[in-house]
PDB file of all heavy atoms in Angstrom:
ATOM      1  N   SER A  17      79.464 169.354  37.487  1.00 98.00           N
ATOM      2  CA  SER A  17      80.215 169.684  36.268  1.00 98.00           C
ATOM      3  C   SER A  17      80.087 168.555  35.250  1.00 98.00           C
ATOM      4  O   SER A  17      80.964 168.347  34.423  1.00 98.00           O
ATOM      5  CB  SER A  17      81.697 169.914  36.603  1.00 98.00           C
ATOM      6  OG  SER A  17      81.847 171.059  37.424  1.00 98.00           O
ATOM      7  N   GLN A  67      75.137 176.660  42.070  1.00 98.00           N
ATOM      8  CA  GLN A  67      75.796 175.579  42.818  1.00 98.00           C
ATOM      9  C   GLN A  67      76.678 176.139  43.937  1.00 98.00           C
ATOM     10  O   GLN A  67      77.154 175.398  44.804  1.00 98.00           O
ATOM     11  CB  GLN A  67      76.650 174.717  41.877  1.00 98.00           C
ATOM     12  CG  GLN A  67      75.837 173.927  40.859  1.00 98.00           C
ATOM     13  CD  GLN A  67      76.713 173.110  39.929  1.00 98.00           C
ATOM     14  OE1 GLN A  67      77.878 172.824  40.234  1.00 98.00           O
ATOM     15  NE2 GLN A  67      76.170 172.741  38.780  1.00 98.00           N
ATOM     16  N   PHE A  76      87.250 191.223  43.383  1.00 97.00           N
ATOM     17  CA  PHE A  76      87.386 189.769  43.553  1.00 97.00           C
ATOM     18  C   PHE A  76      87.227 189.147  42.172  1.00 97.00           C
ATOM     19  O   PHE A  76      86.174 189.255  41.566  1.00 97.00           O
ATOM     20  CB  PHE A  76      86.319 189.227  44.503  1.00 97.00           C
ATOM     21  CG  PHE A  76      86.383 189.790  45.886  1.00 97.00           C
ATOM     22  CD1 PHE A  76      85.700 190.961  46.203  1.00 97.00           C
ATOM     23  CD2 PHE A  76      87.145 189.179  46.869  1.00 97.00           C
ATOM     24  CE1 PHE A  76      85.763 191.501  47.481  1.00 97.00           C
ATOM     25  CE2 PHE A  76      87.216 189.710  48.149  1.00 97.00           C
ATOM     26  CZ  PHE A  76      86.529 190.877  48.460  1.00 97.00           C
ATOM     27  N   GLY A  78      87.143 185.980  39.456  1.00 98.00           N
ATOM     28  CA  GLY A  78      86.879 184.549  39.370  1.00 98.00           C
ATOM     29  C   GLY A  78      85.931 184.049  40.434  1.00 98.00           C
ATOM     30  O   GLY A  78      85.850 182.851  40.685  1.00 98.00           O
ATOM     31  N   GLU A  99      81.698 169.126  47.732  1.00 95.00           N
ATOM     32  CA  GLU A  99      82.702 169.310  46.681  1.00 95.00           C
ATOM     33  C   GLU A  99      83.135 170.773  46.557  1.00 95.00           C
ATOM     34  O   GLU A  99      83.870 171.138  45.633  1.00 95.00           O
ATOM     35  CB  GLU A  99      82.141 168.791  45.344  1.00 95.00           C
ATOM     36  CG  GLU A  99      81.929 167.277  45.363  1.00 95.00           C
ATOM     37  CD  GLU A  99      80.896 166.752  44.384  1.00 95.00           C
ATOM     38  OE1 GLU A  99      80.398 167.548  43.551  1.00 95.00           O
ATOM     39  OE2 GLU A  99      80.559 165.572  44.451  1.00 95.00           O
TER      40      GLU A  99
ATOM     41  N   SER B  17      84.336 191.352  40.455  1.00 98.00           N
ATOM     42  CA  SER B  17      83.000 191.227  41.051  1.00 98.00           C
ATOM     43  C   SER B  17      82.425 192.621  41.311  1.00 98.00           C
ATOM     44  O   SER B  17      81.610 192.810  42.216  1.00 98.00           O
ATOM     45  CB  SER B  17      83.069 190.436  42.362  1.00 98.00           C
ATOM     46  OG  SER B  17      83.456 189.103  42.119  1.00 98.00           O
ATOM     47  N   GLN B  67      86.794 184.712  33.894  1.00 98.00           N
ATOM     48  CA  GLN B  67      87.767 185.194  34.891  1.00 98.00           C
ATOM     49  C   GLN B  67      88.528 184.029  35.525  1.00 98.00           C
ATOM     50  O   GLN B  67      89.516 184.223  36.237  1.00 98.00           O
ATOM     51  CB  GLN B  67      87.059 185.990  35.991  1.00 98.00           C
ATOM     52  CG  GLN B  67      86.471 187.308  35.497  1.00 98.00           C
ATOM     53  CD  GLN B  67      85.741 188.073  36.593  1.00 98.00           C
ATOM     54  OE1 GLN B  67      85.997 187.861  37.777  1.00 98.00           O
ATOM     55  NE2 GLN B  67      84.838 188.955  36.207  1.00 98.00           N
ATOM     56  N   THR B  77      81.057 170.158  42.166  1.00 97.00           N
ATOM     57  CA  THR B  77      79.985 171.128  42.351  1.00 97.00           C
ATOM     58  C   THR B  77      80.557 172.523  42.570  1.00 97.00           C
ATOM     59  O   THR B  77      81.543 172.675  43.286  1.00 97.00           O
ATOM     60  CB  THR B  77      79.123 170.707  43.560  1.00 97.00           C
ATOM     61  OG1 THR B  77      78.457 169.488  43.240  1.00 97.00           O
ATOM     62  CG2 THR B  77      78.098 171.775  43.919  1.00 97.00           C
ATOM     63  N   GLY B  78      79.916 173.530  41.970  1.00 98.00           N
ATOM     64  CA  GLY B  78      80.331 174.912  42.205  1.00 98.00           C
ATOM     65  C   GLY B  78      81.612 175.282  41.494  1.00 98.00           C
ATOM     66  O   GLY B  78      82.242 176.282  41.829  1.00 98.00           O
TER      67      GLY B  78
END
Side-chain angles (χ1 to χ4, degrees):
Chain A
S17 295
Q67 293 179 20
F76 299 88
E99 294 156 7
Chain B
S17 294
Q67 292 179 22
T77 294

